[in-house]
Amino acid sequence: MSNPGAHNSNVIESFEQMVGILAAGARPRSGWRIGTEHEKFGFVRPEAAGPQRGAWSSPPYAPRGIEALLRALAAEKGGRRWEEIIDRDALIGLKGMGDAKGGSISLEPGGQFELSGAPLRTLHETAAEMDQHFAAIRPACAALGIGFMPLGFHPTARRADIPWMPKSRYAIMRDYMPRVGTLGLDMMLRTCTVQVNLDFGSEADMARKMRVSLALQPVATALFASSPFYEGRPNGFMSNRARVWTDTDNARAGMPRRFLEDGFSFAAYVDWLLDVPMYFVTRGGRMINVAGSSFRAWLEGRNPPGLEGERPTIGDFEDHLTTVFPDVRLKQFLEMRGADAGSPAMMLAQSALWTGLLYDEATLVAAEKLVLEHGWDDYVALRAEVPRTGLDTPWGQGNLRPLAARMIALATDGLRARAARDAQGRDETCHLAPLHEIAAGGPTQAESWLAAYHGRWKGDVTHIFTEAAV
């Protein structure tokens, strides 16, 4: 698994060059890896609250907030080695080097703290990486009087309550989002997700994995739903995060139909991408706001305002790849993007589910057959319904629970076939345990939180800060 490298200033001379960037991600099965990314909301602990920092409020960038946490991690002795990522003199992330194995830490617009995990061989390594990350941030968090909790949507905060992080691209998106949807600022400030990045072996393998994972992404949304609250109260949704994505920017999000069609290819993805409006272009280390401009028009010689005389480069295309948000995103790997952040066990289970479904050949064939039992329009319609009703969404003669159970059973087969064992001799199926409980009739995370709200919490949602804390 690999990300595009440093900004490439070579001018784009042909459509095939852009196709080749995606095709370069294909690798032999022996090189397939698992990369897990997860986000979490920060909060101020009651014992550290004061006039400027209310209990449970989002920590500021500075002072005694997100910047201080990044600096504490960068200075950590005997642990990971980090390189600072600076944007206009502001520390906005850390890039792994040496024993950090390629992982990185970045900030979402509202200070959501994200670990972009290294590409790892097994889910056991992913579990260890996640444990190490949480262990690494706890001492600094304790000193700063802050904590973190992974949920799909912030349970109490209003938009105005959350500080913006000093990252150049977020200022551009902040201005553009209200022009293309009503909930884009909520997506930026008040949502957290977990995703797994998985490799493909060829263009045909990519297309198969895209169709299977994109069709079944709404089922994952239902399984991992953990955002039933809005500004302190239930608002009738199991995944308020997923609801937000239905009206963020539909030109660059969702389930584009051409991804599901026979003949889907790297070229088809590039063709779609060229018509997605741009956000920015980087020149001389500075981001130029070109939001709403057409990459295709630029390639054809119709330059965006502010880029007179400039020609699009490979680096510009690589940047543009990062500004689209379909439920499954193609770069030099595939990103599964349909799940709410949740408990560490559930976030690991999300990676286990898709690894099991997509990384074993026989299981992938079976998953294709499962998907083909329904038409593509059924899955697109499902995406619109699951944010509200979760696993109780009507499907066939019943609801989604039987389909989710079949997915989990297939993933179990796929992980068993991988036969990757930990020091205790367990294979990777152990990481599906929370999903087996749900398949057997247990509650999803959202259902558990709602039961607590109406029961032991007695309508006080702030209990979730301590119960969901990592």
Side-chain angles (χ1 to χ4, degrees):
M1 191 177 301
S2 62
N3 283 299
H7 193 86
N8 186 328
S9 61
N10 292 329
V11 171
I12 297 173
E13 302 289 353
S14 70
F15 183 86
E16 287 70 27
Q17 279 180 288
M18 296 178 286
V19 172
I21 291 169
L22 299 178
R27 61 193 64 247
R29 184 180 297 270
S30 61
W32 291 359
R33 295 294 182 264
I34 304 162
T36 301
E37 303 182 22
H38 54 88
E39 303 164 359
K40 46 211 170 286
F41 294 111
F43 60 88
V44 175
R45 296 185 180 279
E47 61 271 22
Q52 305 300 318
R53 303 201 323 169
W56 314 126
S57 64
S58 298
Y61 175 72
R64 290 182 56 77
I66 300 299
E67 180 191 35
L69 175 57
L70 289 171
R71 294 202 181 281
L73 292 175
E76 184 183 19
K77 305 298 182 184
R80 293 187 173 210
R81 296 167 58 226
W82 298 106
E83 176 186 351
E84 294 183 351
I85 303 172
I86 304 296
D87 183 346
R88 295 183 302 180
D89 298 325
L91 177 61
I92 60 164
L94 302 171
K95 182 166 57 177
M97 55 187 200
D99 58 359
K101 299 180 181 178
S104 64
I105 292 173
S106 59
L107 305 179
E108 292 301 302
Q112 303 97 313
F113 209 72
E114 178 179 8
L115 173 70
S116 296
L120 301 172
R121 190 178 61 84
T122 73
L123 291 161
H124 305 308
E125 294 173 354
T126 301
E129 176 188 62
M130 196 176 289
D131 288 345
Q132 290 164 7
H133 172 68
F134 293 136
I137 67 174
R138 285 181 190 126
C141 285
L144 294 167
I146 63 176
F148 283 96
M149 58 172 182
L151 296 166
F153 191 90
H154 200 290
T156 61
R158 301 167 301 170
R159 284 184 192 172
D161 296 333
I162 299 179
W164 285 85
M165 297 297 105
K167 196 169 179 177
S168 297
R169 68 185 288 168
Y170 295 157
I172 294 170
M173 293 171 67
R174 178 181 185 175
D175 177 66
Y176 182 71
M177 283 294 182
R179 295 157 51 186
V180 292
T182 65
L183 299 174
L185 297 181
D186 282 334
M187 180 278 291
M188 295 180 73
L189 293 172
R190 298 200 279 182
T191 66
C192 283
T193 188
V194 56
Q195 70 180 49
V196 61
N197 305 327
L198 298 172
D199 288 308
F200 48 81
S202 65
E203 184 170 56
D205 186 47
M206 178 280 297
R208 295 167 68 205
K209 288 173 176 173
M210 173 64 82
R211 285 194 295 272
V212 167
S213 59
L214 188 58
L216 295 177
Q217 210 64 216
V219 189
T221 298
L223 266 173
F224 294 94
S226 68
S227 49
F229 302 115
Y230 180 87
E231 297 182 6
R233 296 180 176 84
N235 74 334
F237 289 88
M238 295 290 107
S239 175
N240 199 43
R241 181 204 60 85
R243 178 187 75 95
V244 163
W245 273 109
T246 65
D247 193 14
T248 287
D249 183 349
N250 289 331
R252 69 183 72 242
M255 299 173 68
R257 185 172 182 84
R258 71 175 69 182
F259 293 13
L260 299 170
E261 293 172 349
D262 291 339
F264 179 68
S265 63
F266 297 131
Y269 191 84
V270 171
D271 191 57
W272 170 77
L273 185 69
L274 294 183
D275 290 321
V276 175
M278 300 166 65
Y279 281 154
F280 63 86
V281 170
T282 302
R283 288 293 183 273
R286 181 175 66 91
M287 284 189 179
I288 301 170
N289 186 345
V290 295
S293 299
S294 166
F295 204 103
R296 188 186 299 276
W298 191 18
L299 286 169
E300 294 171 351
R302 290 171 283 153
N303 286 39
L307 292 179
E308 291 79 7
E310 292 286 341
R311 295 181 62 190
T313 68
I314 296 297
D316 297 327
F317 177 75
E318 291 174 337
D319 284 343
H320 192 46
L321 277 170
T322 70
T323 67
V324 296
F325 311 116
D327 290 357
V328 179
R329 180 163 64 182
L330 173 61
K331 294 197 283 192
Q332 290 185 329
F333 45 85
L334 288 167
E335 300 176 345
M336 309 294 120
R337 298 173 51 85
D340 287 3
S343 70
M346 283 294 284
M347 293 195 294
L348 183 57
Q350 199 264 166
S351 293
L353 177 69
W354 293 114
T355 301
L357 286 171
L358 302 183
Y359 267 14
D360 173 65
E361 177 65 21
T363 302
L364 180 56
V365 169
E368 285 183 289
K369 292 179 179 177
L370 173 63
V371 164
L372 290 173
E373 292 177 7
H374 285 259
W376 298 128
D377 289 343
D378 292 341
Y379 295 105
V380 173
L382 187 61
R383 179 180 183 268
E385 299 300 323
V386 295
R388 182 179 294 276
T389 48
L391 289 177
D392 289 329
T393 302
W395 183 256
Q397 301 302 308
N399 60 27
L400 270 185
R401 291 179 185 272
L403 177 57
R406 292 173 70 186
M407 285 174 60
I408 296 163
L410 285 174
T412 302
D413 292 340
L415 294 180
R416 189 173 290 123
R418 278 168 51 84
R421 300 191 179 277
D422 64 9
Q424 288 74 47
R426 301 176 301 172
D427 66 22
E428 293 170 309
T429 60
C430 63
H431 302 299
L432 290 172
L435 302 188
H436 284 294
E437 292 179 14
I438 295 172
T444 63
Q445 293 172 106
E447 291 166 340
S448 292
W449 294 132
L450 286 169
Y453 177 86
H454 293 294
R456 66 179 186 276
W457 295 352
K458 298 179 180 179
D460 181 3
V461 78
T462 60
H463 289 282
I464 202 169
F465 288 92
T466 52
E467 293 195 17
V470 293

